[in-house]
Amino acid sequence: MLCCNHKFKLEPSKYCPIPYGVICKKGETKMKRNWLIIAVSIMLIVSNFSVSVGYSLKIKNTDPSLQGLSLLFYPEENNPFNYICVLSGDTLVINQKISGIVHERFESSWVQYPVKAKAKIDISFKKNKEVGDRKVESLMLVFAIVRKDDSSLEKLSATVPVLFPGQFPDGYKNNVKGWGNISKDQLHSCLPDGTAKLFTMDFDKGNKCSLRCKHCFRRDDRVDSPCAKFLTHEKILGYVKEAKSLGLQEIKILGRGEPFEDSRFLEFLREVSDMGISIAVFTKGHVLGCDDLARKYNKQYGIKTGWELIQALKELNVSILLGFNSFNRLMQEKFVGVDKFSEKNLLKNYVAFRDQALTNLVKAGFNDYVEGEATRLAMIAAPCKPENIDEMLSMYQWGRVRNIYTLTCPTNICGKGVDEFEREKEFQDYILKLEDVWAQMYIWAIQKNLISLETFLEDGVSLYPGCHPCNQTAAGFYLHLSGQTNLCPGRKEIFCEDIRKVGLKKAWAESANYKRAKFGSKYNYHCVARDGYSLPLNFYQEIETKVLNALQS
């Protein structure tokens, strides 16, 4: 007989250390929380409980939000698995002889899916007269609950219109305003005193972030100590002003936290914008897409909603670089480390906030096409990891035809990215897949007139496929919140431990980036941070060969 009062739970694993408990009482299993640890195409173990062979098992899925409930069980000790699926609303009756005792443990990667708090899976047993009464001590049930396809693609496609259904217009600006892509006629130029111009800088602004991205290159003690004395708001503004006298035109805001979780960030953007400097802001979008969060960090400016915040940004010299790793909600949540077990945590709705941010940015006109000008909206699909690489081409195409600059690159080998890089080494075909996807992006871009073949042959392959070449390591540097100056976000290579001790001009003049700016001659520097480290030296040549071969055929 079924032990109706037996408590059983899903076993935790090294991938998901949080156990989840459910109770079996009077023939039913109820979800005690809003979230159940489950998997796609992977079975999770529910601990053993006793049954009688003379009884059949009945399972009914009553949650309409679920595509199906799958049950995997051992009919006999040495026999293969039986796998049965119950569609939403259906009832499954297992009516066969069960024997043997199973003590194995099933290990696999774990994925987290939401299940409604009131969802119920009925499990009951009924006497089977055709089967004898021989008993077994335990039965291993393995449940896999699969939600309906949960993707943002359809919804966003309906709200974000295509601007270029056919060919891109001649002279299309393949860039996003404020990134720091220096033109060929400006790069390597000098001030009247012979100092190489400092055209662009990356800055940290703010130290708070509610997300927990596993690949984050900033929030890690290997980058800068949490005990470090961070630069003040006023000090950062002072460095921006000083850099402007050295030629500064554009800055990017990278971290150390989520910029829009800094209550003085809008103030900072207004002051820098008034200097005539373009600003590109990396953001995960949750503050822009959530009225409560927008109000929390910006109420001092009279802002009450995310839409009002976006409207305020539209009036400034600001572009938005929106983090966008996947259209799939579960994949995206995994990338940003959303805490799905907290009812009070607004960020359990992170993907909805990100999507709302994108929709409102488009509504505000950040991706409006103006002839001869770069867009002010980008989707940053970085890093491209083995888990999301299959989405990269379609995501790139989706964004570009909507005048949304869509950029990807491999994991930064800095901070937590060092650990991710080591993990990615286990995927032996990863680099080859990168080469193929990069080539496919270029082929599509050339065929659509987004990039001319002449430009491709002249500039070569970029670290950012189908986008601009990277030359920021010959035009500027990265100033950390701790005062350290660094090569760029791609890899930790410190030039100066504390800019406050030497001053900005000296920190620039004594950096390796300055030497490239002063004495270099290239336009496309590929990736100084990754080449020969995480990317093979022939990476770009292999891609170029694949592109040209495909176009010739």
Side-chain angles (χ1 to χ4, degrees):
M1 298 292 292
L2 172 66
C3 298
C4 293
N5 294 320
H6 182 74
K7 181 184 290 188
F8 61 101
K9 64 183 179 181
L10 297 175
E11 298 288 343
S13 79
K14 63 182 179 181
Y15 300 101
C16 188
I18 304 174
Y20 178 81
V22 291
I23 298 177
C24 177
K25 288 184 178 179
K26 296 181 180 179
E28 68 180 29
T29 300
K30 291 185 178 180
M31 313 303 175
K32 290 171 61 179
R33 303 184 188 179
N34 275 355
W35 302 92
L36 176 65
I37 302 174
I38 53 185
V40 182
S41 300
I42 300 173
M43 306 310 121
L44 306 187
I45 288 181
V46 178
S47 59
N48 303 334
F49 58 91
S50 298
V51 297
S52 169
V53 176
Y55 288 75
S56 58
L57 175 64
K58 179 180 178 181
I59 300 176
K60 184 176 181 180
N61 176 17
T62 60
D63 183 359
S65 71
L66 301 180
Q67 185 177 8
L69 169 69
S70 298
L71 171 66
L72 182 67
F73 69 97
Y74 289 98
E76 293 182 11
E77 187 172 8
N78 298 318
N79 283 3
F81 292 105
N82 273 327
Y83 179 89
I84 302 118
C85 182
V86 190
L87 297 178
S88 178
D90 289 350
T91 300
L92 170 71
V93 176
I94 301 172
N95 185 17
Q96 52 182 293
K97 187 174 180 178
I98 302 173
S99 64
I101 300 175
V102 179
H103 296 292
E104 296 182 32
R105 177 175 175 78
F106 188 90
E107 290 284 355
S108 65
S109 298
W110 295 49
V111 182
Q112 297 172 356
Y113 277 73
V115 174
K116 292 180 180 178
K118 295 182 180 179
K120 183 173 68 174
I121 299 174
D122 294 322
I123 300 177
S124 60
F125 287 80
K126 185 172 80 171
K127 179 74 173 178
N128 183 353
K129 296 181 180 179
E130 297 178 2
V131 181
D133 289 332
R134 186 164 58 90
K135 296 185 178 182
V136 294
E137 296 299 324
S138 62
L139 168 69
M140 179 175 288
L141 297 178
V142 185
F143 294 94
I145 299 175
V146 183
R147 287 187 65 88
K148 296 176 182 177
D149 182 35
D150 204 346
S151 171
S152 301
L153 181 59
E154 184 176 352
K155 178 183 177 181
L156 289 175
S157 296
T159 57
V160 182
V162 172
L163 299 185
F164 306 119
Q167 296 293 96
F168 282 75
D170 291 339
Y172 179 77
K173 193 86 169 179
N174 186 25
N175 205 340
V176 59
K177 188 177 181 182
W179 181 279
N181 308 308
I182 310 307
S183 64
K184 294 176 182 177
D185 59 332
Q186 288 184 313
L187 194 64
H188 305 301
S189 61
C190 295
L191 297 169
D193 66 358
T195 302
K197 287 185 177 179
L198 176 65
F199 285 109
T200 183
M201 287 184 68
D202 292 343
F203 283 91
D204 287 339
K205 187 68 177 74
N207 188 37
K208 181 180 180 181
C209 185
S210 300
L211 301 175
R212 297 295 180 266
C213 303
K214 291 183 179 180
H215 56 269
C216 182
F217 62 91
R218 282 301 289 118
R219 298 192 72 78
D220 190 277
D221 292 348
R222 287 168 288 188
V223 181
D224 43 35
S225 169
C227 300
K229 185 178 180 181
F230 292 141
L231 298 175
T232 64
H233 174 94
E234 291 74 20
K235 199 70 174 177
I236 296 172
L237 275 175
Y239 288 127
V240 174
K241 292 176 183 178
E242 184 179 354
K244 182 172 172 56
S245 69
L246 298 175
L248 187 69
Q249 298 176 351
E250 301 173 333
I251 67 171
K252 294 197 297 294
I253 305 298
L254 305 182
R256 182 176 187 263
E258 160 60 44
F260 287 104
E261 290 188 28
D262 176 8
S263 61
R264 298 189 70 183
F265 188 53
L266 184 57
E267 175 188 346
F268 174 83
L269 293 176
R270 286 171 172 169
E271 294 187 68
V272 174
S273 190
D274 286 344
M275 298 180 199
I277 294 172
S278 296
I279 313 143
V281 182
F282 281 89
T283 175
K284 294 301 183 183
H286 49 286
V287 177
L288 297 177
C290 174
D291 291 344
D292 289 340
L293 294 175
R295 181 168 55 253
K296 175 180 178 180
Y297 296 111
N298 297 278
K299 59 186 176 182
Q300 64 273 30
Y301 309 112
I303 290 174
K304 300 177 182 178
T305 65
W307 172 245
E308 290 178 1
L309 176 56
I310 286 173
Q311 286 181 305
L313 297 172
K314 186 63 165 58
E315 300 304 314
L316 305 176
N317 201 7
V318 170
S319 298
I320 298 298
L321 313 177
L322 180 65
F324 207 107
N325 305 105
S326 176
F327 281 110
N328 182 275
R329 179 178 58 80
L330 297 163
M331 178 77 74
Q332 183 61 74
E333 287 177 343
K334 191 171 183 180
F335 264 75
V336 299
V338 170
D339 177 11
K340 293 175 285 297
F341 292 88
S342 174
E343 276 297 300
K344 297 180 180 179
N345 190 347
L346 273 173
L347 290 175
K348 66 181 181 178
N349 299 313
Y350 166 75
V351 175
F353 296 154
R354 179 206 65 178
D355 292 351
Q356 189 62 54
L358 180 60
T359 300
N360 285 346
L361 287 163
V362 169
K363 180 181 176 182
F366 273 80
N367 70 323
D368 285 353
Y369 174 65
V370 179
E371 185 176 357
E373 294 186 13
T375 183
R376 291 175 58 185
L377 180 58
M379 287 167 50
I380 306 300
C384 175
K385 299 200 287 189
E387 289 77 7
N388 68 337
I389 190 170
D390 292 336
E391 274 193 88
M392 287 300 107
L393 176 61
S394 59
M395 194 181 303
Y396 174 80
Q397 295 169 336
W398 188 92
R400 297 314 301 264
V401 299
R402 291 165 170 80
N403 201 33
I404 300 173
Y405 195 70
T406 308
L407 177 148
T408 189
C409 64
T411 300
N412 290 336
I413 43 179
C414 183
K416 292 181 175 63
V418 173
D419 302 325
E420 279 296 288
F421 169 58
E422 291 300 320
R423 185 189 66 85
E424 289 165 4
K425 288 180 180 179
E426 299 175 6
F427 297 83
Q428 297 180 356
D429 62 343
Y430 172 56
I431 296 297
L432 291 177
K433 290 187 73 172
L434 277 180
E435 292 175 0
D436 288 340
V437 172
W438 264 227
Q440 291 168 23
M441 289 184 183
Y442 272 110
I443 293 165
W444 182 86
I446 293 169
Q447 290 174 339
K448 289 291 184 178
N449 197 41
L450 194 161
I451 301 172
S452 69
L453 180 58
E454 292 74 22
T455 298
F456 174 73
L457 292 173
E458 182 179 348
D459 294 347
V461 175
S462 170
L463 170 71
Y464 312 123
C467 296
H468 60 272
C470 182
N471 53 39
Q472 70 181 70
T473 55
F477 60 89
Y478 181 9
L479 177 57
H480 290 187
L481 194 63
S482 63
Q484 291 180 335
T485 62
N486 187 27
L487 170 78
C488 72
R491 177 165 55 89
K492 183 179 179 181
E493 184 176 319
I494 302 301
F495 298 147
C496 168
E497 287 295 338
D498 194 338
I499 196 171
R500 288 164 289 203
K501 296 180 179 179
V502 300
L504 184 139
K505 185 173 183 179
K506 186 176 181 181
W508 166 233
E510 293 182 352
S511 69
N513 288 5
Y514 181 87
K515 294 179 175 63
R516 277 184 283 272
K518 179 75 172 179
F519 305 109
S521 58
K522 295 193 294 184
Y523 174 63
N524 182 358
Y525 281 86
H526 296 304
C527 184
V528 176
R530 294 177 179 85
D531 297 346
Y533 293 89
S534 59
L535 294 176
L537 293 176
N538 66 341
F539 180 71
Y540 308 98
Q541 184 57 52
E542 290 293 323
I543 295 167
E544 181 175 324
T545 299
K546 290 181 179 183
V547 171
L548 295 178
N549 287 343
L551 293 175
Q552 289 170 2
S553 63

